[in-house]
Amino acid sequence: MNDYFHYRQDQLCAENVALNDIAQNFGTPCYVYSRAALTDGYRQFAEAFKSREHLICYAVKANSNLAILNVFARLGAGFDIVSGGELSRVLAAGGAANKVVFSGVGKSEAEMRQALEAGILCFNVESAPELDRLNAVAGSMGKVAPISLRVNPDVDAKTHPYISTGLKQNKYGVAYTEALALYLKAAAMPHLRITGMDCHIGSQLTQVSPFIAAAEKILALADQLAAAGIKLEHLDLGGGLGICYDDETPPSIAEYAQAVLGALQGRAEKLIVEPGRVLVGNAGVLLTRIEYLKHGEEKNFAIVDAAMNDLMRPALYDAWHAILPLQKSVAATQSFSVVGPICETGDFIGHERELAVAAGDALAVMSAGAYGMSMSSNYNTRPRAAEVMVDGDAVHLIREREKVAQLYAAEKIIG
Ligand code: LLP
């Protein structure tokens, strides 16, 4: 819980709106976001970095709903994208192309063309063959592509292995030891213009030290480049700042910024950061309703209408999300496994949760704003959830619940 999701007279609310009313009016499963929480997170970032020239490029993959992108675009955000699809979303949401950085190890020619056409700020290039391809694509269009090399600093982010990206054995970025030679190669390519250097070491980091270790390696390399005659305009230190799901104690945005600013003291380059989770994670919840309570021989199950297709994080990373009743009760609690209807043992939202609930009650899965809806699927032909944004007293539907017929509309029977 936080300032934006809180109990008021035993009713869990988003800002001024009871979530039970939203569950009733829009159905479940349903993602609910707080506009004030989104705005507040962004403003904290902007405030914390205001002493130097910077650009906050929201990592679109964390939650790519147009309404959310639009809230950030209005606040002045740039965007970190990893596909042509995400670029289309950013532009459809009113984002500025010249504030977009394009990360990812597998950019296709079509994606490069689309991004060059749009006029993005920078390609975060992740390999030598990508440099060759980008140079060729830009040349064929009579353009010059602005580039940064994503350098793999080989720093342990001390997070879940699936979301750790800055180690030598990860697929991301160019090897630290090869980066200088690649910069020299890029400098000689006629359709590339070197503008920066970037790194991203992982997600859900709960300490500042790995960020600083990575920044120091990046700065040392930038100095070597300067000595070789390549001057960078910006340094992009990626995203990765963690949030509190349970009892984690990640640094605050201000503490993180202070450490980063300290490491960059005396440097002229513009700073770019790519936060995702920290801007949206605790700004969203997933509402779900209990279909059945099932009392097994060893365990009690609360079978709910949200499943791993709606929120994949527990199944994929064994991630922990708080589960709260929308209406607080004084009845005695029991321990439940909260599970979905999908035919997979991995289909759970949370195990061993103490809840005082009855069938038909609605629950909120907390901290679900990041990598919830954006990782959802249609597994078991389940339409994706509705999404709603609360703004003070107002409630806006920002994505309709999918209809089953939409799910197979593109399929053909061959007879
Ligand atoms: N920049 C790049 C290049 C990234 O790969 C990522 C995330 C970010 C920025 C944003 O990181 P954030 O600030 O959100 O930590 N699905 C996983 C997280 C995957 C993160 C992948 N990269 C999860 O649900 O925990």
Side-chain angles (χ1 to χ4, degrees), residues 75-406:
L75 291 166
F79 296 92
D80 167 49
I81 60 163
V82 289
S83 70
E86 287 189 349
L87 176 56
S88 297
R89 279 184 177 275
V90 166
L91 299 178
N98 65 4
K99 291 184 182 175
V100 168
V101 298
F102 191 172
S103 305
V105 295
K107 300 176 195 79
S108 69
E109 284 186 16
E111 287 176 321
M112 288 175 174
R113 240 176 270 122
Q114 182 192 357
L116 283 164
E117 207 58 72
I120 66 164
L121 175 64
C122 191
F123 288 85
N124 290 349
V125 173
E126 305 220 14
S127 65
E130 187 187 335
L131 277 181
D132 293 331
R133 178 181 277 184
L134 185 57
N135 184 52
V137 172
S140 73
M141 297 171 72
K143 291 191 188 277
V144 173
I147 66 142
S148 157
L149 282 186
R150 176 169 176 180
V151 175
N152 186 331
D154 194 26
V155 164
D156 184 357
K158 302 192 177 79
T159 183
H160 190 287
Y162 284 15
I163 50 177
S164 180
T165 53
L167 283 172
K168 263 195 238 170
Q169 57 265 41
N170 299 136
K171 68 179 175 184
Y172 305 95
V174 302
Y176 191 79
T177 47
E178 289 165 21
L180 183 56
L182 275 179
Y183 266 107
L184 293 172
K185 175 180 151 126
M189 292 180 154
H191 302 290
L192 303 182
R193 186 171 76 83
I194 295 168
T195 62
M197 187 186 298
D198 64 287
C199 72
H200 172 78
I201 56 172
S203 197
Q204 183 56 14
L205 272 70
T206 53
Q207 299 170 31
V208 287
S209 50
F211 288 115
I212 300 311
E216 281 168 358
K217 291 192 87 168
I218 295 298
L219 296 178
L221 196 53
D223 290 341
Q224 288 178 39
L225 287 185
I230 299 174
K231 207 167 158 275
L232 302 178
E233 294 163 26
H234 75 255
L235 297 171
D236 174 348
L237 296 182
L241 183 58
I243 63 171
C244 179
Y245 287 96
D246 183 9
D247 54 5
E248 305 90 337
T249 51
S252 66
I253 291 171
E255 286 163 345
Y256 160 79
Q258 205 174 16
V260 168
L261 290 173
L264 292 178
Q265 215 154 33
R267 314 237 9 153
E269 299 94 338
K270 173 176 173 168
L271 171 68
I272 295 180
V273 283
E274 303 171 356
R277 186 189 318 264
V278 71
L279 292 182
V280 291
N282 277 321
V285 302
L286 172 62
L287 304 186
T288 184
R289 201 174 284 285
I290 300 175
E291 297 281 3
Y292 302 100
L293 292 184
K294 180 167 166 177
H295 299 282
E297 250 174 66
E298 287 192 3
K299 252 183 159 181
N300 298 316
F301 294 96
I303 302 171
V304 297
D305 62 5
M308 66 190 281
N309 75 298
D310 300 299
L311 180 67
M312 205 178 176
R313 303 192 71 258
L316 193 57
Y317 314 115
D318 206 14
W320 192 95
H321 288 258
I323 301 172
L324 300 177
L326 298 196
Q327 164 92 55
K328 249 191 201 167
S329 148
V330 288
T333 63
Q334 273 185 303
S335 175
F336 287 99
S337 267
V338 179
V339 299
I342 285 183
C343 305
E344 297 256 2
T345 304
D347 180 29
F348 68 94
I349 306 287
H351 290 308
E352 291 174 30
R353 302 307 174 89
E354 285 294 327
L355 293 165
V357 287
D361 286 356
L363 304 170
V365 185
M366 307 303 288
S367 311
Y371 306 107
M373 187 64 176
S374 63
M375 291 176 74
S376 66
S377 77
N378 294 120
Y379 189 38
N380 280 205
T381 306
R382 288 171 50 86
R384 263 174 292 194
E387 290 179 288
V388 161
M389 193 178 303
V390 172
D391 184 4
D393 299 319
V395 180
H396 303 277
L397 180 64
I398 59 169
R399 191 182 205 266
E400 285 176 21
R401 181 180 309 288
E402 282 177 342
K403 295 186 175 66
V404 169
Q406 288 174 287

